[in-house]
Amino acid sequence: MAEKISYLLIGGGLASACAAESIREHDQQGAIAIISSEAYFPYHRPPLSKSYLIEGDWEPADIYHHDEAWYAEHNVIFHGGVRATGLDLNGQTATLSSGASIEYDKLLLATGAGLIYLNVPGSDLEGLYYLRTIPDADALTKASESAKRVVVVGGGFIGLELASAFQQRDLEVLLVYMEDRLWERMLSPEISRWLEDHYRSKEITLISRAQVAEFRGQGQVDTVVLKSGDTLPVDMCALGIGVRPDLTLVKNTPLEGANGIPVNEYLETDVAGVYSAGDIAWYQDAIFNKRRRVEHFDTAKGHGEVAGANMAGERRPYRELPYFFSDLFDLEFEFVGDFDLKPDRVDFTGELSENTFIARYFQQNRIFAAVFVGREEEEIEAVKEEILEAQSQ
Ligand SMILES: Cc1cc2nc3c(=O)[nH]c(=O)nc-3n(C[C@H](O)[C@H](O)[C@H](O)COP(=O)(O)OP(=O)(O)OC[C@H]3O[C@@H](n4cnc5c(N)ncnc54)[C@H](O)[C@@H]3O)c2cc1C
């Protein structure tokens, strides 16, 4: 006989942890279970590419969202190291890698995003690292203790954060990326150039418009070969080339969307009683009036809170501007708005040369996004209001 649970949360990340908290605020009785393929309690990933990696002596519990005692105190069952392997949506039952099955009344799918791996000759060599989990960060920390020279692949936020962390661990860093300029998706050309100068001032070698053709070595990578034919000797290589939603669990069900699990602004799927939140959720953004997936901390948190409340009987819409932060050396970045759009005008407040500014992005005189470096909370809130107002017209 399958165990019966009121609220089954599949995925052991921030979105599920916040959903559990929110459900408990609204329903003190219903049984809640979290199923996580990771052995750790839900934790914060942002430090993994920042202080956790730079300092190298953090414990997993330092980044738990709730400590172990919280689960017992709030009567939330946590099944770690177990995967959900199958779903029977009509029978409201999930099957697990342990062989057990669980019946549920309400289901949350918060399985996050999975790493994209580079598949070129030599991809199976030792010394190539990716970063998503605590064990990944521990492996990177250990490898960087003996390495002198690292090639980081990827000019987006993970690549930039890895390059920053390794430089602060005193490694020689080469950053290889396909685009013309750094963080092309989020930054205007002027901001990219300024950031490139900052990275060069830290003696990081930037190699733009470059793609990896091959990794070479005898068991362990010792050379990165670029498509240009250039060869880069290395001790280790770290890749941050993106993530994608892993839809294996919902394959061939009505929950399988083109870019994640489709949900409305209440984070409900088309299947009654089934919700989705966080990196996997392809949600209806009521502000920009389009479907989107956001792979960032604040969205996972906000989605979890709203989905949890709605699972427990509330009817709350998720209406937030996409928001994201990143720390690169001493530069504290914050981003607000829709970065799928491209600006035809960028207005600056403050000075790039002083490492503190606000860049407002406009299209046809309508603000849709902004980049902040080293700015105060009140300023960010004020610009959010500007964007909300512009988008409501
Ligand atoms: C290194 C790193 C740095 C980051 N830095 C920032 C930052 O600076 N700012 C920012 O805004 N965001 C940052 N992020 C992004 C942020 O951490 C994610 O958006 C957030 O973790 C998403 O939470 P989630 O709960 O949706 O998914 P996840 O955190 O991916 O959690 C999903 C969990 O579900 C598990 N799972 C998957 N399939 C199954 C299954 N079938 N059965 C059971 N369990 C399953 C996964 O193993 C995982 O544990 C960073 C991410 C990483 C990796």
Side-chain angles (χ1 to χ4, degrees):
M1 261 270 296
E3 187 183 352
K4 177 96 189 237
I5 288 287
S6 306
Y7 304 97
L8 180 63
L9 317 181
I10 299 183
L14 182 66
S16 278
C18 293
E21 192 175 340
S22 183
I23 292 168
R24 248 320 148 250
E25 278 166 22
H26 294 85
D27 178 351
Q28 277 76 51
Q29 304 304 326
I32 304 175
I34 298 179
I35 308 298
S36 177
S37 46
E38 291 189 70
Y40 303 96
F41 288 102
Y43 57 89
H44 294 180
R45 299 185 198 277
L48 296 181
S49 47
K50 306 177 186 72
S51 313
Y52 191 102
L53 182 56
I54 296 167
E55 291 164 23
D57 57 359
W58 289 37
E59 294 297 326
D62 295 339
I63 56 173
Y64 284 170
H65 184 68
H66 298 117
D67 62 18
E68 189 171 351
W70 183 91
Y71 293 86
E73 281 160 16
H74 292 80
N75 194 16
V76 174
I77 305 157
F78 177 77
H79 290 293
V82 180
R83 264 193 105 67
T85 49
L87 277 181
D88 171 359
L89 294 170
N90 293 327
Q92 298 187 207
T93 306
T95 42
L96 309 183
S97 52
S98 60
S101 42
I102 302 188
E103 274 180 46
Y104 58 81
D105 291 326
K106 300 276 174 67
L107 174 68
L108 178 74
L109 295 168
T111 48
L115 288 164
I116 297 177
Y117 292 94
L118 189 62
N119 187 11
V120 294
S123 290
D124 54 348
L125 288 172
E126 296 288 318
L128 303 180
Y129 297 90
Y130 292 80
L131 177 57
R132 184 79 192 167
T133 63
I134 287 174
D136 294 341
D138 290 342
L140 273 168
T141 306
K142 190 159 184 291
S144 62
E145 277 162 9
S146 53
K148 292 196 168 43
R149 198 169 201 254
V150 57
V151 165
V152 175
V153 180
F157 92 94
I158 293 286
L160 285 163
E161 289 191 355
L162 286 170
S164 160
F166 289 134
Q167 196 275 353
Q168 292 175 73
R169 288 185 69 92
D170 292 328
L171 271 75
E172 182 189 351
V173 182
L174 294 84
L175 181 58
V176 170
Y177 48 101
M178 283 169 31
E179 297 81 11
D180 280 346
R181 53 187 181 80
L182 279 186
W183 216 349
E184 199 171 77
R185 195 177 109 68
M186 308 290 279
L187 302 182
S188 70
E190 197 172 359
I191 311 176
S192 285
R193 298 299 171 218
W194 160 82
L195 188 61
E196 287 161 11
D197 287 345
H198 200 79
Y199 268 58
R200 287 197 189 96
S201 76
K202 305 284 184 191
E203 297 185 351
I204 291 178
T205 304
L206 301 181
I207 307 175
S208 61
R209 282 179 238 117
Q211 288 186 55
V212 174
E214 184 184 347
F215 297 105
R216 283 189 198 145
Q218 298 296 324
Q220 161 82 24
V221 66
D222 60 29
T223 307
V224 177
V225 184
L226 301 181
K227 285 201 175 151
S228 61
D230 288 347
T231 54
L232 311 172
V234 279
D235 298 318
M236 65 181 280
C237 189
L239 297 96
I241 56 171
V243 291
R244 64 165 72 99
D246 177 358
L247 296 169
T248 321
L249 191 58
V250 294
K251 205 157 184 54
N252 300 324
T253 75
L255 304 180
E256 183 184 10
N259 183 28
I261 297 179
V263 285
N264 61 18
E265 65 175 312
Y266 301 95
L267 305 173
E268 300 163 316
T269 68
D270 285 345
V271 178
V274 181
Y275 297 72
S276 183
D279 283 10
I280 189 90
W282 192 29
Y283 73 97
Q284 182 61 29
D285 176 339
I287 298 169
F288 287 94
N289 200 20
K290 63 161 111 162
R291 227 174 238 299
R292 70 165 80 243
R293 224 167 39 74
V294 175
E295 295 158 354
H296 293 308
F297 187 91
D298 271 61
T299 306
K301 183 168 179 289
H303 271 186
E305 287 164 3
V306 169
N310 291 344
M311 289 170 81
E314 295 280 302
R315 186 116 185 110
R316 265 169 60 187
Y318 178 81
R319 271 194 204 130
E320 297 290 336
L321 283 173
Y323 166 88
F324 163 57
F325 59 90
S326 176
D327 298 334
L328 306 174
F329 296 106
D330 49 341
L331 305 172
E332 291 176 2
F333 280 82
E334 288 171 272
F335 299 85
V336 170
D338 183 358
F339 286 86
D340 296 339
L341 303 173
K342 294 287 157 241
D344 56 25
R345 191 181 102 221
V346 179
D347 284 359
F348 285 91
T349 306
E351 293 296 330
L352 274 83
S353 59
E354 288 173 10
N355 296 344
T356 164
F357 62 86
I358 303 172
R360 288 176 173 77
Y361 287 16
F362 292 85
Q363 225 178 43
Q364 295 174 340
N365 290 325
R366 195 179 188 207
I367 185 169
F368 62 85
V371 179
F372 305 85
V373 175
R375 304 307 287 204
E376 299 296 328
E377 183 69 32
E378 306 84 76
E379 295 178 290
I380 297 165
E381 291 306 317
V383 177
K384 276 188 184 172
E385 287 305 316
E386 279 178 49
I387 298 174
L388 286 172
E389 197 177 323
Q391 296 305 319
S392 67
Q393 284 159 12

